[in-house]
Amino acid sequence: GAKGPIELLRTWLDLDFFYDLKDMTKFQLQDVQFLAAMGPPSSGNTVDERMARHMNVISLLEFSDEAMTHIFSTITSIHMKRQNYDASFQRIGLQAVQATLNLFTAATKTFLPTPTKSHYLFNLRDFSRVTLGCLQTPPSQLDSPEKFIRLWVHESNRVFADRLVDSDDQKDFFEIIKVATNDAFKVPLEKILSHLSANSASLQPDHVRSLFFGDFANESKVYNEISDMTTLKTTVEGYLEEYNQMSTA
């Protein structure tokens, strides 16, 4: 792990020099400053006090729900006004911020890291990715509020659901996003994605995986919904063939 490198740095901070392992000559580093970051302390995430005593420690509290709502609502509002989104989409953009907050809060409480799921860590960067992802589609491509909600569902799944490793967690997330959609947008997820479950009795997690947005399936490179699966498959296979031709492996 990081124990060895940290001890090496501590040695330099204590003594102000290293030894060259080849000829055991002493050499010094000059005009160097160290900047480090770490997560909340835990049983496997601590720094030795002999190292910490050399540092000026700055601790930051987590943002409150009100602060996160204010930050991302401001980002969303400024972007939509500058890009001349219709007023209805500006309102639904703010609803998307609230939906993301509900989703983020539920995900951090439900999907906790374990030894086999150590990557189940969600932070403000994930919140930001969902919000900024929803702003990638230009207003000229948004023909209905339902499409914007589908965009939000897609971005939320790419950021959160794609990180989940087993079917039970996927099902739990599906229930969470259903609640978040209904609470924030006042529209059932089943109605928003009805076109994906037309041949089934009810909407299932596998249906949501058929929801695609991207900029790689059209020549204009506009981030938009991809509804033609045949075109998507042809495009992806083309990229794969091009990669295989270029790869020397």
Side-chain angles (χ1 to χ4, degrees):
K3 184 69 174 179
I6 288 177
E7 284 300 307
L8 184 62
L9 292 176
R10 185 193 61 78
T11 299
W12 181 84
L13 290 169
D14 281 342
L15 305 177
D16 198 32
F17 66 85
F18 288 126
Y19 282 112
D20 190 321
L21 293 180
K22 293 183 180 180
D23 54 16
M24 299 305 293
T25 56
K26 184 192 300 184
F27 66 91
Q28 295 176 311
L29 301 178
Q30 297 181 349
D31 298 326
V32 176
Q33 290 184 330
F34 283 99
L35 179 65
M38 63 177 292
S42 63
S43 59
N45 187 23
T46 57
V47 174
D48 189 87
E49 293 182 357
R50 293 185 298 169
M51 176 66 177
R53 69 187 178 89
H54 292 288
M55 317 293 285
N56 293 311
V57 180
I58 302 174
S59 299
L60 299 177
L61 297 176
E62 293 185 355
F63 285 110
S64 65
D65 290 352
E66 293 76 12
M68 289 194 292
T69 300
H70 177 72
I71 291 170
F72 292 106
S73 293
T74 302
I75 293 173
T76 300
S77 296
I78 291 175
H79 176 84
M80 287 187 160
K81 289 178 181 178
R82 287 179 177 176
Q83 298 298 320
N84 297 318
Y85 281 74
D86 185 79
S88 62
F89 288 106
Q90 294 185 34
R91 288 193 298 270
I92 206 168
L94 299 180
Q95 292 175 340
V97 173
Q98 185 60 50
T100 307
L101 175 62
N102 296 343
L103 188 67
F104 176 80
T105 302
T108 53
K109 291 180 179 179
T110 304
F111 308 114
L112 302 176
T114 66
T116 58
K117 302 174 182 178
S118 57
H119 62 290
Y120 278 23
L121 297 170
F122 304 100
N123 54 44
L124 203 61
R125 187 181 295 111
D126 301 303
F127 198 124
S128 175
R129 285 172 178 164
V130 175
T131 302
L132 298 181
C134 291
L135 301 179
Q136 291 188 85
T137 300
S140 59
Q141 302 299 321
L142 294 172
D143 51 19
S144 68
E146 288 76 14
K147 184 173 182 178
F148 187 89
I149 299 174
R150 291 199 299 272
L151 172 61
W152 176 81
V153 172
H154 172 268
E155 297 304 313
S156 300
N157 273 273
R158 297 291 74 77
V159 172
F160 292 99
D162 285 357
R163 201 179 301 180
L164 307 178
V165 296
D166 61 48
S167 58
D168 289 338
D169 289 344
Q170 292 281 352
K171 291 177 181 177
D172 289 341
F173 181 81
F174 178 67
E175 295 301 323
I176 290 173
I177 201 169
K178 283 173 62 178
V179 173
T181 303
N182 192 64
D183 289 349
F185 300 109
K186 309 304 179 185
V187 181
L189 185 64
E190 290 82 356
K191 180 178 179 181
I192 297 300
L193 303 181
S194 59
H195 63 294
L196 299 178
S197 59
N199 298 323
S200 302
S202 61
L203 185 69
Q204 300 296 326
D206 286 340
H207 294 135
V208 184
R209 298 191 187 99
S210 300
L211 180 66
F212 289 99
F213 279 78
D215 61 0
F216 50 84
N218 57 79
E219 295 181 357
S220 58
K221 298 300 180 183
V222 174
Y223 196 80
N224 203 0
E225 187 171 11
I226 304 171
S227 55
D228 189 341
M229 294 297 105
T230 302
T231 301
L232 175 62
K233 181 180 178 181
T234 302
T235 302
V236 173
E237 288 177 345
Y239 282 127
L240 179 60
E241 183 178 354
E242 181 180 350
Y243 173 80
N244 289 336
Q245 291 176 351
M246 296 175 59
S247 177
T248 58

